[in-house]
Amino acid sequence: MFSLTMNPNQLKLLWKFSEKKTLDIWSGAPGGETTTLDILVAPDIKTSFKDFVTQYNISHSVVIEDYQFLLNSQKVKVSTRGSSPARKEFSLYEYNQYDEIVQYLHEVEQSCPKLVKLLSIGKTSEKRRLWLVQISTARRGARRPFVLLDAGSHAREWIGPATALYIISRLLGEDCGATELSKYLDWHIIPLFNPDGYEYTHTRDRMWRKTRSTLENTSCKGVDVNRNFDFHWGQTGASLNQCLCYLTETGASLNPCQSDYAGPKPFSEPEARAFRNYVLSDAKRILLYVSLHSYGKFLMYPWAYTKLRTSDWRVMKTLSEKANKALIDEGGEPYFIGTAAQLLCTST
Ligand SMILES: [Zn+2]
């Protein structure tokens, strides 16, 4: 994995290069005249990529020499668990697979029946259930505002579901007594938004990002479910690959073989439809919606498709600053704060 720092001209050259060779852009940092991108480069194009950055004098460094080596070390950990004869106790500090996660969620519901309710909100293309965890200290049927949180819409971003499960465990409090955070509001959490893709990253392709739906007229599979909603569907937006187009004004294609393919139409994916139906059934109660992704230290709020601000951007900015301060107070590193369009697609 390389980290590149480029001026606008060099960025345009990179975009041209990426039209011929597939680059996997992982993260970008905001900047005015300069753009920094972390890019995963496949072994077979490493030499031509190095020649390219040298030829155009692009400032670069190697962030991770052998990415596959890191992936393999995760894999060993997973398979060691699977091969042990007795079922190990569920660990919040490991990357668990779908079945283990679902079993954990059922156990949480059984051990805290008054506090926790587990709901299936739909099924994936491969017929896995989509689970949502409700945590509420109110009496059943009370209609308090809730925080909606999801994770794992991008299959390979494993830290998201792991974080969502950790948040669930912390919200239970001691002896199912919950915490201050549930005093006035409820929590509705979808820890694994894209189980099909997630399982695929465990069994076949660690770098898979999309769902696993079958598409017409192509052998490529899956849709970026986070680009499958109907709001400004198909427009360039908060994807770093798309941002390169956006910055260079070439426009994004809707190529089903790309990792950020928006789908044949809005809500083509059952996961997106299930989420839409759930949200619309109780939209007025939603106080805050948070979607967990990786990587990059960003606290992003709308919009992604345009650099215009929402009418309530100040509220979200203030909230993000409070979250950032809380992170720093706990010894964490500061995050960048801003709209997705500002942070991911800095204009040059
Ligand atoms: Zn993501």
Side-chain angles (χ1 to χ4, degrees):
M1 179 176 288
F2 289 84
S3 179
L4 306 188
T5 304
M6 291 158 290
N7 63 35
N9 271 340
Q10 291 169 326
L11 191 63
K12 279 183 186 162
L13 292 165
L14 177 73
W15 176 245
K16 285 218 176 83
F17 180 87
S18 75
E19 283 176 330
K20 281 178 248 136
K21 319 245 182 191
T22 308
L23 295 175
D24 203 349
I25 298 160
W26 271 60
S27 179
E33 279 301 299
T34 56
T35 301
T36 301
L37 295 176
D38 289 355
I39 302 176
L40 189 62
V41 179
D44 57 319
I45 62 165
K46 192 175 161 191
T47 306
S48 59
F49 184 76
K50 271 188 167 168
D51 291 346
F52 165 77
V53 291
T54 309
Q55 185 187 346
Y56 294 105
N57 208 15
I58 295 173
S59 160
H60 64 281
S61 61
V62 176
V63 185
I64 301 168
E65 183 65 45
D66 188 347
Y67 201 78
Q68 190 60 47
F69 179 77
L70 287 183
L71 296 185
N72 291 348
S73 60
Q74 284 181 337
K75 208 69 212 156
V76 169
K77 206 167 145 198
V78 171
S79 55
T80 310
R81 282 203 62 201
S83 62
S84 64
R87 185 180 164 263
K88 250 177 78 178
E89 203 173 318
F90 185 86
S91 170
L92 288 165
Y93 301 96
E94 288 179 20
Y95 293 121
N96 299 285
Q97 286 191 238
Y98 175 79
D99 286 343
E100 297 167 302
I101 291 171
V102 173
Q103 188 167 350
Y104 171 71
L105 296 177
H106 280 288
E107 284 166 9
V108 164
E109 187 191 35
Q110 277 158 17
S111 52
C112 303
K114 282 189 177 159
L115 184 64
V116 177
K117 195 178 166 196
L118 188 58
L119 286 180
S120 163
I121 61 164
K123 274 188 178 174
T124 67
S125 301
E126 293 178 350
K127 308 293 177 219
R128 289 187 181 86
R129 285 194 179 279
L130 286 168
W131 293 102
L132 180 141
V133 179
Q134 295 181 342
I135 297 175
S136 176
T137 54
R139 60 178 167 75
R140 276 281 142 90
R143 295 180 50 77
R144 300 202 302 185
F146 65 83
V147 174
L148 179 63
L149 188 141
D150 73 46
S153 57
H154 291 142
R156 66 193 181 191
E157 298 169 13
W158 285 4
I159 196 71
T163 304
L165 293 172
Y166 180 76
I167 290 171
I168 290 169
S169 77
R170 290 296 299 267
L171 286 172
L172 301 178
E174 265 186 46
D175 300 324
C176 306
T179 68
E180 282 282 302
L181 293 170
S182 297
K183 204 167 174 183
Y184 304 108
L185 51 84
D186 300 343
W187 294 80
H188 293 195
I189 300 174
I190 304 169
L192 201 49
F193 196 108
N194 173 15
D196 294 351
Y198 184 75
E199 282 302 282
Y200 196 71
T201 60
H202 278 268
T203 55
R204 299 292 294 275
D205 178 359
R206 178 64 186 85
M207 302 308 294
W208 190 256
R209 169 179 161 107
K210 300 188 283 183
T211 62
R212 291 296 301 160
S213 55
T214 303
L215 303 166
E216 277 179 32
N217 305 322
T218 173
S219 58
C220 292
K221 289 191 84 168
V223 167
D224 182 342
V225 71
N226 201 32
R227 307 280 177 272
N228 194 231
F229 299 96
D230 63 346
F231 188 74
H232 293 271
W233 177 82
Q235 287 191 0
T236 56
S239 136
L240 289 160
N241 280 314
Q242 287 178 350
C243 282
L244 272 177
C245 308
Y246 181 71
L247 289 167
T248 53
E249 294 165 9
T250 54
S253 71
L254 285 171
N255 179 349
C257 298
Q258 278 184 356
S259 66
D260 52 5
Y261 175 51
K265 60 180 182 189
F267 294 116
S268 61
E269 302 309 285
E271 297 86 353
R273 291 197 298 275
F275 183 77
R276 172 195 62 191
N277 295 344
Y278 187 78
V279 165
L280 293 182
S281 70
D282 231 350
K284 286 209 172 92
R285 286 175 61 202
I286 301 175
L287 194 65
L288 172 71
Y289 165 57
V290 179
S291 185
L292 300 178
H293 289 258
S294 70
Y295 72 83
K297 290 181 163 47
F298 300 119
L299 284 165
M300 298 188 289
Y301 46 86
W303 303 113
Y305 79 98
T306 171
K307 290 194 178 157
L308 294 176
R309 285 165 165 164
T310 62
S311 57
D312 58 351
W313 67 275
R314 278 195 181 84
V315 178
M316 290 185 279
K317 184 165 185 276
T318 306
L319 194 60
S320 304
E321 283 165 354
K322 283 185 180 171
N324 211 12
K325 186 178 179 306
L327 263 172
I328 296 163
D329 288 349
E330 285 297 314
E333 288 180 35
Y335 275 46
F336 292 106
I337 293 170
T339 72
Q342 277 171 349
L343 290 180
L344 295 181
C345 307
T346 309
S347 180
T348 53

